[in-house]
Amino acid sequence: MPRPLGELEDSVMTRVWRWNRPVTVREVLEDLRAERPIAYTTVMTVMDNLHQKGWLRRRQEGRAYRYEAVSTRAAYSAALMSEAWSSSDFAAAALVEFFNRMTPEQLEALRDALRVVQLNGVHVETAERAPRETH
């Protein structure tokens, strides 16, 4: 399971995911510099670390490397959510707390995701359709 990316790691990966193509350290550096001053060696080290951790693959091109993401942003987010949920002592309570913190937009995204999962053949009981116990 992945550990959460640090702030700079996340900034680098966000660009790699957004661009969705092999990138150089120089390209990432120039985009990051639009937000803050940063050294080439810092970006190079972060991208090398992400490669060592398995987040980026790279191939040599001349004297430089081109890096690309190993997985999608969605897969990364899903793995983090799964890890957080599985580390809970009471998974149902953790989910309830998580849902209570969701914005209306996030709740709509959850509804959309449940519809997609059901279209893919996974049956999900909703509160309205779940069988009720009778005593």
Side-chain angles (χ1 to χ4, degrees):
M1 292 286 177
R3 70 169 194 35
L5 296 172
E7 182 182 339
L8 186 53
E9 290 174 325
D10 186 69
S11 292
V12 168
M13 286 304 300
T14 294
R15 283 155 177 80
V16 175
W17 283 317
R18 185 177 62 225
W19 295 337
N20 196 28
R21 62 173 174 76
V23 300
T24 64
V25 171
R26 176 80 47 208
E27 290 173 304
V28 174
L29 171 72
E30 289 177 11
D31 201 59
L32 285 168
R33 280 187 173 163
E35 296 173 4
R36 63 180 177 237
I38 190 165
Y40 179 92
T41 53
T42 301
V43 177
M44 182 179 66
T45 299
V46 168
M47 292 179 77
D48 184 61
N49 289 343
L50 289 166
H51 169 71
Q52 298 300 322
K53 292 177 183 180
W55 286 105
L56 295 174
R57 70 175 64 93
R58 69 183 180 193
R59 65 176 161 66
Q60 194 154 7
E61 191 173 279
R63 293 178 36 191
Y65 287 107
R66 284 209 172 263
Y67 293 85
E68 62 185 318
V70 171
S71 67
T72 65
R73 177 84 185 208
Y76 165 71
S77 297
L80 287 178
M81 289 187 286
S82 179
E83 182 177 341
W85 187 35
S86 66
S87 68
S88 173
D89 292 337
F90 189 37
L95 281 175
V96 168
E97 185 62 33
F98 179 68
F99 295 149
N100 282 333
R101 294 175 184 217
M102 293 177 96
T103 65
E105 294 80 16
Q106 290 169 326
L107 287 169
E108 188 57 36
L110 176 61
R111 287 184 195 94
D112 291 344
L114 288 171
R115 282 191 285 276
V116 168
V117 168
Q118 288 179 327
L119 288 173
N120 289 335
V122 176
H123 182 70
V124 179
E125 292 287 338
T126 62
E128 300 86 50
R129 292 177 32 210
R132 295 178 182 237
E133 290 184 27
T134 57
H135 294 282

